[in-house]
Amino acid sequence: MSSYTVTKVRRRDAPPSAVTRSRATDGAGPPQQWHRGMTLIATISLFIGTRSAWTQAMLSHPPVAGVISVCYAGILVSGVLVLTVRSRRALARVDAVVLVLAVTLLVCGYWLNHAGTDEGVLTAQAANEILHGRPVYGQPWPWLFGTPKSGLTKTMYGGADLTYGYPPLTAMLAAPVHAVLHSTAAATVVTTGALIAGAVGLWLLLPVPWRSAATAVCLGFGFLPNYARSGYPAIVALALLVPVVVRWPATGAGGRLGRNGVLRAVCLGAACGAQQLAWFLTPFLLIGLYAVRRGELGARPATAVLARFAGIAALTWVAVNAYCAAQDFSAWLHGMLLPLTQKAILHGQGLMGISYYFTDGSSRLDYYSYASMLLLAGLLAATVLFVRRLGTALTVLPWLAFYLATRSQDGYYLMMTPLWLAAAATVPPSALASAWEPRIPRIPRIPHIPRLTGRPAKAVLAAALVTPALLCAGIAAASPPPLDMTLTAHLTDSARPAVSSVTVRAVNTTGTALTPHFASRTGHSASNWWTITAGPTTLAPHSTAVYVVRPKGGHRALPTSTDQYMYLIAVTGSPMTITTASLGNAAHPPG
């Protein structure tokens, strides 16, 4: 018995035979448990939104509801197969089935909801203008807004942006579709098709065990399909960035771009011609590519490879923009930079919420913008210095800067999350192990202070790179509001209290002349601008004025819940400031 036990242990400890290794390689071996888990998560993610889509389809499109019911059965069967198949090849086939189910559900959702939001409406209008040879940029289209689905981007100057503010590629792709559909669907079908192409492309490019993660992130959780159905041009940029990011350290290996390198450069330039978010990822990618190639080839060959790659990307971007730039260069340039220069009203879950939601305001909102730019610069510098550590996170780092911006909504981050997955699956730390990093200069010895070397020195340097951004954000958050406002609200005679006008006694506590604009908010977003019926346009430094302001529509109902309050906000565009004062609620109306 003892001898048999020893023999059995030896057999179990023995290396696998050639046949076993062959089966594991060709897909006949048992699947990895984490691969099962990845596929199961993707399968479960398909349930998100399925019931609401089926409910809507049953009211208006019963055949679509039937397709969703079949997909529902497919999800259940896939869940069983994920946990029972015995080979890697079989599990890979289940991955493909889950992808097909996800694409089918996406098409069903698009069939039910394809009208688009303001981004889709604007892109469809731009496509129509291109189709008829008219200018795209600098043309206000006020009739596109005012519907529940077409939101209006208000600016801190008391107005709103009514023009197209995205690069033209998505509109160009939508132009021939618009010739057939003549509706906003021309834009949303392009973005939805781009999401499908990006998801399938990422699925094919990833290692087999990671593929279902692409299905879940791109199609299963529901947030990206919603953006695609809304017509966001960023979805087109995402699809184009997928081949750029997958195994990006291999670009230019051996000093030659080759066909794949040229294709990646073209996709990068096209992505930058589709939406501005690609601009923020580009410098991080270029820094990473240079560091990897310099570590392999040396400084001069690495520079040559990077120049060819960046040059092809730049030429592609120029080709995409040439038509619109030739029509009106000034208007085109203004449109390209509009999201960065428009000074849109505060919005998002970022740090600026301290001044918007949790305090009475700030007289130095511009410092949030300074903080965002400084953090972006600091992260770029940190990537240069520590690319071996930070290079695997190149697809995440650019979006950190948006958290400090005055416009810091989550859409700037989550639409690029498939790129996070692409990097995680295809760019291991070993791919950056030999990347070039500049030598950190020695700091002269300071008496009575020990010299920092190694990791402590790098940690201090990294902290120093982001400290200016944090200081600027602190200044913005700690600054008091510029106006001292005392409110007297006038209520309508109705069963539910509503504000018909507000008398505002405003004291300018700053040394700068301010031009206030008024709105209300009960949640995270501001209302349409209130009309100033009395009071000066500009409030001189350290002076007092009385304003009478009225809401659009003549009245604004107070919240009925005791947990909600209405606030009156006063904003200025130059400098960017905000002041907030409470108007109470129906249970505690203003006096």
Side-chain angles (χ1 to χ4, degrees):
M1 186 69 178
S2 167
S3 173
Y4 173 78
T5 303
V6 171
T7 303
K8 185 177 182 180
V9 171
R10 285 177 179 173
R11 286 180 179 176
R12 291 179 63 184
D13 289 346
S17 65
V19 174
T20 303
R21 289 196 301 269
S22 176
R23 288 178 178 177
T25 302
D26 64 15
Q32 299 161 298
Q33 198 65 17
W34 71 272
H35 184 184
R36 288 189 194 271
M38 198 80 75
T39 308
L40 187 63
I41 291 172
T43 305
I44 294 171
S45 74
L46 299 187
F47 281 119
I48 299 174
T50 301
R51 183 172 62 175
S52 60
W54 178 85
T55 303
Q56 180 184 353
M58 282 302 300
L59 293 174
S60 56
H61 300 86
V64 176
V67 175
I68 294 174
S69 294
V70 173
C71 290
Y72 175 55
I75 295 171
L76 296 175
V77 173
S78 297
V80 174
L81 293 175
V82 168
L83 300 174
T84 58
V85 295
R86 298 293 184 89
S87 69
R88 298 184 181 185
R89 183 183 297 110
L91 188 55
R93 289 170 180 167
V94 177
D95 288 334
V97 171
V98 174
L99 176 65
V100 171
L101 290 172
V103 171
T104 304
L105 288 171
L106 173 62
V107 173
C108 290
Y110 176 79
W111 188 270
L112 297 172
N113 300 294
H114 54 263
T117 57
D118 48 332
E119 284 80 4
V121 171
L122 279 167
T123 302
Q125 182 64 34
N128 183 58
E129 301 302 300
I130 292 173
L131 198 62
H132 291 86
R134 295 191 290 261
V136 170
Y137 296 98
Q139 310 300 314
W141 301 320
W143 63 88
L144 299 179
F145 304 94
T147 65
K149 287 190 175 182
S150 296
L152 191 63
T153 301
K154 295 178 285 294
T155 67
M156 300 288 281
Y157 292 104
D161 272 327
L162 307 173
T163 60
Y164 193 66
Y166 302 105
L169 180 59
T170 307
M172 289 179 170
L173 295 175
V177 183
H178 197 281
V180 178
L181 297 180
H182 306 296
S183 69
T184 307
T188 57
V189 73
V190 168
T191 51
T192 301
L195 179 60
I196 294 174
V200 173
L202 182 58
W203 192 92
L204 293 172
L205 291 171
L206 290 184
V208 172
W210 287 85
R211 285 177 171 176
S212 279
T215 302
V217 172
C218 293
L219 306 175
F221 293 133
F223 48 78
L224 287 184
N226 285 336
Y227 279 106
R229 288 193 294 267
S230 298
Y232 275 68
I235 297 296
V236 176
L238 164 67
L240 290 166
L241 287 172
V242 165
V244 179
V245 169
V246 171
R247 298 180 183 85
W248 64 260
T251 304
R256 294 180 65 256
L257 283 180
R259 186 190 311 171
N260 288 338
V262 172
L263 176 62
R264 290 178 180 183
V266 170
C267 287
L268 179 61
C272 291
Q275 218 270 351
Q276 289 92 339
L277 288 179
W279 300 0
F280 295 89
L281 178 63
T282 298
F284 287 90
L285 280 172
L286 295 180
I287 288 171
L289 284 175
Y290 177 77
V292 172
R293 295 285 74 83
R294 180 165 176 174
E296 175 197 11
L297 306 170
R300 184 173 295 180
T303 302
V305 170
L306 188 70
R308 292 197 298 272
F309 180 82
I312 295 171
L315 287 175
T316 304
W317 182 81
V318 169
V320 169
N321 287 274
Y323 172 74
C324 293
Q327 284 183 314
D328 188 335
F329 182 84
S330 178
W332 165 80
L333 183 61
H334 177 75
M336 290 294 97
L337 300 178
L338 186 62
L340 307 178
T341 61
Q342 66 186 168
K343 291 195 173 183
I345 196 167
L346 306 181
H347 183 72
Q349 305 96 310
L351 204 62
M352 62 83 212
I354 296 174
S355 301
Y356 195 18
Y357 305 120
F358 301 112
T359 69
D360 292 334
S362 173
S363 58
R364 293 184 173 88
L365 291 178
D366 287 303
Y367 277 80
Y368 284 121
S369 298
Y370 304 153
S372 181
M373 291 185 289
L374 286 171
L375 182 57
L376 185 65
L379 291 172
L380 285 169
T383 303
V384 172
L385 295 173
F386 312 116
V387 69
R388 295 175 189 170
R389 174 61 63 88
L390 297 179
T392 53
L394 284 185
T395 54
V396 184
L397 289 174
W399 321 121
L400 296 179
F402 284 89
Y403 190 76
L404 303 185
T406 54
R407 195 80 172 175
S408 57
Q409 59 194 26
D410 56 4
Y412 298 139
Y413 321 124
L414 63 86
M415 279 191 282
M416 295 295 156
T417 47
L419 303 180
W420 305 8
L421 173 66
T426 63
V427 186
S430 58
L432 305 169
S434 60
W436 171 80
E437 290 183 348
R439 188 183 301 275
I440 299 175
R442 294 176 64 85
I443 302 175
R445 186 173 182 83
I446 301 175
H448 310 296
I449 298 180
R451 184 188 298 277
L452 292 176
T453 58
R455 289 186 178 180
K458 292 181 178 180
V460 170
L461 180 57
L465 292 174
V466 299
T467 296
L470 299 179
L471 290 175
C472 283
I475 291 173
S479 295
L483 301 179
D484 183 2
M485 298 197 308
T486 303
L487 309 183
T488 303
H490 307 281
L491 305 180
T492 59
D493 295 328
S494 60
R496 180 181 177 183
V499 177
S500 60
S501 66
V502 177
T503 300
V504 184
R505 183 180 182 275
V507 180
N508 183 355
T509 62
T510 72
T512 304
L514 301 175
T515 302
H517 307 280
F518 297 89
S520 63
R521 70 169 181 87
T522 55
H524 64 88
S525 295
S527 69
N528 291 323
W529 297 115
W530 289 31
T531 303
I532 300 175
T533 60
T537 301
T538 301
L539 186 58
H542 303 294
S543 64
T544 302
V546 176
Y547 293 88
V548 178
V549 295
R550 297 182 183 276
K552 185 176 181 179
H555 66 278
R556 193 81 173 172
L558 291 170
T560 56
S561 172
T562 57
D563 296 330
Q564 295 180 351
Y565 293 86
M566 180 186 289
Y567 298 93
L568 185 74
I569 63 172
V571 303
T572 63
S574 185
M576 283 183 67
T577 71
I578 187 169
T579 305
T580 303
S582 176
L583 283 169
N585 54 36
H588 301 90

